[in-house]
Every structure is written in structure tokens, then in C-alpha cells.
Amino acid sequence: MIPVKGYAAQSPETDLAPWDFERREVGPHDVQFDIQYCGVCHSDLHQIKNDWFPGIFPMVPGHEIVGKVVAVGDHVKKFKVGDLAGTGCLVDSCRVCENCKQDLEQYCLNGASQTYNGLEQDHKTPTYGGYSNSIVVHEDFVLHVSEKLDLAAVAPLLCAGITTYSPLRHWKVGKGHKLAVLGLGGLGHMGVKFGVAFGAEVTVLSTSPKKEEDAKKLGAHKFVVTKDPEQVAAVAGYFDFILDTVSAEHDYNMYLGMLKTDGTHICVGAPATPSAISAFSLIPGRKSLVGSMIGGIAETQEMLDFCAEHDIVSDIELIDIKDITPSYERMEKGDVRYRFVIDMATL
Ligand SMILES: [Zn+2]
Ligand SMILES: [Zn+2]
């Protein structure tokens, strides 16, 4: 076994603290890479607090992981020592179900292995995430990362990036479309960048007028304060797509009213409590309310390559790992521009 250092929550009641644990030996198809940076996702906080479902403890969060390859198994073809590498939300899947066969490992019918707070494909070994100094992953679930981009700012692409890229590609959002990005946080700011890169007219919908300047800097063409009834009325029936990144409770019916006929409201943010949605928000105008979860491995690589080609990274604040708990407090208040990334050299 390979000894590694990390930060773990020992239970939902405790803060993250240093924890030493072990990774498996590098198998014939495994890649080991030393973690240089790990992004801080809102879901890290939800999972260590058991907000969504009972977690597996001790829990080492982190699924926006980048670093440098230090060992490869005998049969590894895609990586060599010294390469940059990344891993997102998945470290394995069954590979044989109909979704896995279509490069949709995130929807694996037999249960994909989440990077942390999950189980390996033996369905008993817990997975530990990127708040640690090294990781061992099957090469099929390791991504190539371009040397051209700022590595720390690449990390959030592995979750926030692919979560917004995948639905925009799936629904073919681009030139001629009016896209609204609802919420300007870690996901939303990537949604704006991709929407602009794909050629759509992008409007940010936010409760906070203070975010207008940032939205425009990120490339958004328009900004709507959703607390202002006049501004909301002005965009009734206006958008082809809404990319909804908000994980706090909100009224879907109001936003469905902003869609054109045949418009699509795409949920990527996940409020913890169910919402009331009137069928009358959907029926007149043949509207769709849909969801999307991260992306498959091939698409994640496509996204990273697209970002390298178009010089797209996340806007980040680099933090020391000892500041993780105060950073969570700031994240909960939406006080981060736009993703915290842990400098793992501080571990
Ligand atoms: Zn995430
Ligand atoms: Zn599968």
C-alpha cells in the first residue's frame, strides 16, 4: 500500500483535519499522480455534512484534482511519468452497461465509482478524494491536462467545467441562441464562459445587482436582477435555454416563464428540498425541464482540450489547506470568485 497524507472529516459533526491513510499499490492499468491542486466544490461541503445522503466516514473530499504522474503500471499506454494529469468526479464504472458503452459513465447503471464518498467497483472499498497528496486511478479515468494553461485554474474544470460544458453541448447551445445562466458562482461563471465560447447571446440571471460588473467581465452580454419585477417582465418568453446552477431553493415556475416556445430549462444545481412545479409552466409553450450530471470521460477530455484551445480556465482563489473550514463558510455565503482551489503544497 502507498501511504498518503490528506484532510478528512471523521464524522458529519467534525471539521476537516489532517488524516494519514493508504492508497492501493499501482496496478498494471493504474496511474499514480501527485496532487498539486484540488478545487473546492459545493458538493464537498454537502457531503461531509450528510446533507444529501449518509456518507462514508472518514471522508476525504475533493473531485477537481490535478497534478503530475509519478508512477504508471506495466500496461499503461496513455500516460508516462512526468505528464500532467487530472481526475474529476469518477474513478471507475462497470464499463459494460449500455450507458458506459456510450461514454456516459456518469450514468453507469451499475453505479459508477465516485472519486470520494463512494466505493470502488468491488462495491466495498471506499474511495478517498483529492484533499490529499497523491492518488492512484485506472488510466481510463485519468485525463490529460495541457501544459499551456494555469494548472491551479484547470482544477475546477474537472467538475464545475464539465457540469456546464456537457449540457450546453448535449442541447447544442450556440450561435443564434439566447442562453440565460442562472446564478453566478462556481458553475455559473463556467457556464458564462462556455456559452460565450459557443457563440450564444448570454444573459446572467442573479438576485445580486453587485454581480453585474463581474458578469460582463466574464463575457456575458446582458444581466437581469431577478428581484426586480420589471427586469423579469422584460425577459418573459425571451430565452431558448436556461442553465440553472442554483442549489438554493428557488421558484422554477418564474424562470420557465422566461423561456420561448420549445425552450429548455436545464438543472445542474441541486436544491436539497423538492420544488413545486406547475404543469401550466410547461404546457403552454411546449417547454422542457431537464437535468444533467457532470459528463463522461471522453467528453471531459474533449472539454479540457477545448479549454486549452480557447484559453479557458476557472477564476480561482488559491488557498492553504489549513484555511479549508473558513473557506467553506465563505463559499456558503457565495463569497468566492469563483472557485477556491487548495494548493496541495500546503498539506
Ligand atoms: Zn463538484
Ligand atoms: Zn456502467
Side-chain angles (χ1 to χ4, degrees), residues 252-253 256 275-289:
Y252 291 85
N253 302 290
L256 288 165
S275 297
I277 293 155
S278 167
F280 291 106
S281 298
L282 298 168
I283 292 170
R286 197 166 53 188
K287 294 172 186 178
S288 303
L289 178 63

Side-chain angles (χ1 to χ4, degrees), residues 93-101 105 107-112:
S93 72
C94 86
R95 299 150 188 259
V96 295
C97 73
E98 69 181 287
N99 287 349
C100 282
K101 282 187 176 157
E105 300 88 357
Y107 305 125
C108 174
L109 298 172
N110 296 306

Side-chain angles (χ1 to χ4, degrees), residues 8 10 48 68 71-72 79 97 101 121 127 135 137 146 174 182 202 299-300 305 311-312 322 325 329 334 340:
Q10 297 296 327
I48 63 163
K68 201 163 254 186
V72 295
F79 291 88
C97 73
K101 282 187 176 157
Q121 287 299 300
T127 55
I135 192 165
V137 183
S146 168
L182 174 51
V202 178
E299 191 176 44
T300 305
D305 296 346
D311 209 14
I312 293 172
K322 67 172 167 32
T325 299
E329 284 158 18
F340 289 119

Side-chain angles (χ1 to χ4, degrees), residues 34-246:
D34 282 351
I35 299 170
Q36 288 170 287
Y37 302 101
C38 184
V40 178
C41 177
H42 220 274
S43 66
D44 300 346
L45 177 59
H46 285 299
Q47 293 191 69
I48 63 163
K49 296 295 173 206
N50 271 355
D51 286 345
W52 291 336
F53 51 86
I56 302 165
F57 291 87
M59 191 187 299
V60 178
H63 58 206
E64 295 181 339
I65 307 167
V66 290
K68 201 163 254 186
V69 175
V70 292
V72 295
D74 292 343
H75 297 299
V76 168
K77 292 196 184 73
K78 297 181 210 156
F79 291 88
K80 60 181 190 315
V81 171
D83 285 351
L84 292 180
T87 285
C89 303
L90 306 174
V91 288
D92 212 346
S93 72
C94 86
R95 299 150 188 259
V96 295
C97 73
E98 69 181 287
N99 287 349
C100 282
K101 282 187 176 157
Q102 293 179 82
D103 292 328
L104 296 170
E105 300 88 357
Q106 74 274 35
Y107 305 125
C108 174
L109 298 172
N110 296 306
S113 298
Q114 307 294 319
T115 300
Y116 72 88
N117 195 18
L119 298 173
E120 298 284 2
Q121 287 299 300
D122 63 6
H123 299 288
K124 54 181 190 233
T125 309
T127 55
Y128 300 112
Y131 295 11
S132 58
N133 62 355
S134 202
I135 192 165
V136 178
V137 183
H138 190 288
E139 67 169 328
D140 290 349
F141 285 75
V142 183
L143 287 311
H144 285 284
V145 172
S146 168
E147 305 265 354
K148 268 169 57 184
L149 300 173
D150 172 13
L151 189 61
V154 166
L157 301 177
L158 275 314
C159 174
I162 188 61
T163 297
T164 49
Y165 180 94
S166 179
L168 295 180
R169 282 303 199 209
H170 179 76
W171 278 282
K172 299 185 170 58
V173 178
K175 271 201 179 65
H177 288 141
K178 293 183 168 73
L179 167 69
V181 175
L182 174 51
L184 193 63
L187 294 176
H189 94 289
M190 290 311 307
V192 170
K193 290 186 187 204
F194 287 132
V196 170
F198 298 164
E201 180 200 283
V202 178
T203 301
V204 169
L205 308 177
S206 173
T207 53
S208 164
K210 281 187 265 172
K211 291 204 169 165
E212 178 162 4
E213 203 187 318
D214 270 18
K216 299 272 167 77
K217 266 193 226 153
L218 291 164
H221 306 97
K222 297 183 179 183
F223 188 87
V224 169
V225 180
T226 53
K227 279 184 179 160
D228 179 343
E230 263 178 46
Q231 291 192 36
V232 170
V235 290
Y238 184 78
F239 299 110
D240 299 281
F241 297 94
I242 296 173
L243 182 67
D244 180 349
T245 70
V246 174

